[in-house]
Amino acid sequence: MRRFITVAVAAVALAGGTVAVAHASAPPGFVPKNAAWLSASEGFVLGQAGCGQPDLCETLLHTTDGAKTWTEIPVPQLERPDNQYFGFPTVIAASAKRFAVYDNNRIMETTDAGKHWSALAVHANSPSLMIGDVKYFRGKVFAIAGGPEQTDLYAAGPSGLDPVPGVTIHRPVNDVQGTIAGGDALEVSLTNAGQSWPTSTWRSKDGKSFTQQPYPCLAGEAAIYAEHKPGLPIAAICEAVGPSRPGNWDKAMVTAPATGGKVTRAPRAPEIGVVAGFALVSDKVAVMPVTGGGVTLFLRTEDAGQTWTNTFTIDGQVWSPDLAFVNATTAYQTNGTGLYRSTDTGKTWTQISFA
């Protein structure tokens, strides 16, 4: 889930011919915040490190050998949150040369492995926007953004991001939880679950035409979709925005056939924590990190959400929901203090050292 602040969006460009530098280890004091993976061996990690300034600077690292060595890539300075309720700057990747970083203000993309960066203009009627979830799908950037009157899905066009007709909710972005899940289909959810106002989800197989879907969750719940993989059902976590007590929200897993059909709802998952990611591994196995009380629990199910087991606990919260299964067994997850990897479908996790 990503929360927002209001900012003006303007197009800028950065260029400079900077050169990435390979290191055996990350810069001293590097703290990872989120990651984007292209395979089990190649990925990007965005975080902070000392840079000779009074404050820490955004630092982007790239690995091609499963986090054994790192290449530091120059990255534009991004807006950082002043508290835990705003999303930390995030990295997404389409290839080794094309990737993007974004904050609540702007989306900065490179197509030459970080030598040059440019801002993706958002073509909207509102003079100010709040940028939410951003994903690559079918080679295009998709983003949820909104203003004081409505929240829309935007898709990359010839000169920036254009609103996708019909994929909108007429509520201020401050009140909307918007999520995007990719894979072999794009799932978009826009909801104001806190007020039990109309909620909607859309699905697209090609990134061009979107079909509105029956909402899979109950009134007052937000849908958090897993990335969809061929041969697996559509899966989501339905999370109640109104917690029964602070830091502990109601949640349940739902599934449906990818071709359409009845939604099956599992019993309520453990109440503790707020959902900080969700991934479907097989038709029965799923992993769901939850954050609460200063820790993150890795909940895992082998029966499609009927029961959940905590397989791992780490100190600190997850800043960005970046849980990613890069193949049938290997997954990565960051939190505010470390990068973790599982090679056994989420049964066990190991912290990766940057030293």
Side-chain angles (χ1 to χ4, degrees):
M1 180 177 64
R2 174 170 286 266
R3 306 293 290 272
F4 307 96
I5 56 175
T6 304
V7 289
V9 174
V12 299
L14 295 181
T18 51
V19 179
V21 180
H23 301 280
S25 61
F30 177 74
V31 179
K33 296 297 182 180
N34 55 78
W37 294 90
L38 300 172
S39 68
S41 59
E42 184 172 14
F44 300 85
V45 181
L46 180 65
Q48 292 178 317
C51 56
Q53 303 295 326
D55 297 323
L56 297 175
C57 292
E58 272 64 61
T59 303
L60 181 62
L61 303 180
H62 177 219
T63 181
T64 58
D65 55 12
K68 295 177 183 177
T69 60
W70 300 94
T71 298
E72 184 175 348
I73 298 174
V75 64
Q77 191 70 6
L78 301 167
E79 180 180 293
R80 282 171 278 159
D82 57 5
N83 62 57
Q84 63 179 332
Y85 298 106
F86 298 119
F88 193 86
T90 301
V91 59
I92 58 174
S95 70
K97 290 187 176 182
R98 186 183 181 195
F99 44 92
V101 293
Y102 67 94
D103 56 21
N104 298 296
N105 183 3
R106 58 183 182 170
I107 305 168
M108 304 292 297
E109 186 181 40
T110 178
T111 58
D112 56 10
K115 295 179 181 179
H116 303 84
W117 294 84
S118 60
L120 300 181
V122 181
H123 301 147
N125 293 325
S126 176
S128 63
L129 290 175
M130 295 173 275
I131 297 173
D133 209 3
V134 183
K135 292 288 191 300
Y136 280 109
F137 180 71
R138 301 284 190 248
K140 295 173 58 176
V141 174
F142 290 83
I144 293 174
E149 296 182 355
Q150 69 184 59
T151 304
D152 299 274
L153 177 69
Y154 291 81
S159 61
L161 296 174
D162 300 312
V164 176
V167 185
T168 182
I169 183 171
H170 294 284
R171 301 295 177 190
V173 70
N174 274 339
D175 297 332
V176 173
Q177 180 176 342
T179 58
I180 309 174
D184 72 330
L186 195 68
E187 302 282 353
V188 180
S189 176
L190 299 175
T191 180
N192 189 319
Q195 299 294 329
S196 298
W197 282 333
T199 52
S200 296
T201 62
W202 292 263
R203 183 177 305 153
S204 176
K205 295 288 289 186
D206 57 8
K208 298 177 182 178
S209 60
F210 286 79
T211 302
Q212 193 164 1
Q213 304 293 311
Y215 196 66
C217 300
L218 304 177
E221 294 179 335
I224 303 169
Y225 281 94
E227 180 177 292
H228 187 254
K229 298 178 180 179
L232 296 185
I234 301 294
I237 295 294
C238 296
E239 183 176 47
V241 176
S244 57
R245 63 180 187 272
N248 297 276
W249 293 11
D250 295 336
K251 58 190 79 69
M253 181 174 168
V254 296
T255 57
T259 54
K262 181 181 178 181
V263 174
T264 300
R265 184 183 177 96
R268 181 183 296 179
E271 187 180 62
I272 186 169
V274 178
V275 175
F278 177 53
L280 190 67
V281 186
S282 70
D283 60 340
K284 299 293 184 182
V285 178
V287 177
M288 174 178 63
V290 297
T291 292
V295 298
T296 297
L297 311 180
F298 285 74
L299 301 184
R300 185 176 182 275
T301 180
E302 294 185 348
D303 52 18
Q306 297 295 313
T307 59
W308 296 85
T309 301
N310 178 28
T311 62
F312 190 54
T313 301
I314 54 178
D315 291 331
Q317 72 179 48
V318 170
W319 285 81
S320 300
D322 65 348
L323 173 65
F325 272 85
V326 293
N327 55 38
T329 58
T330 303
Y332 289 92
Q333 171 73 62
T334 60
N335 76 330
T337 58
L339 170 65
Y340 298 84
R341 175 168 53 203
S342 172
T343 58
D344 56 8
T345 67
K347 295 178 183 178
T348 61
W349 295 82
T350 302
Q351 185 172 3
I352 295 173
S353 174
F354 287 93

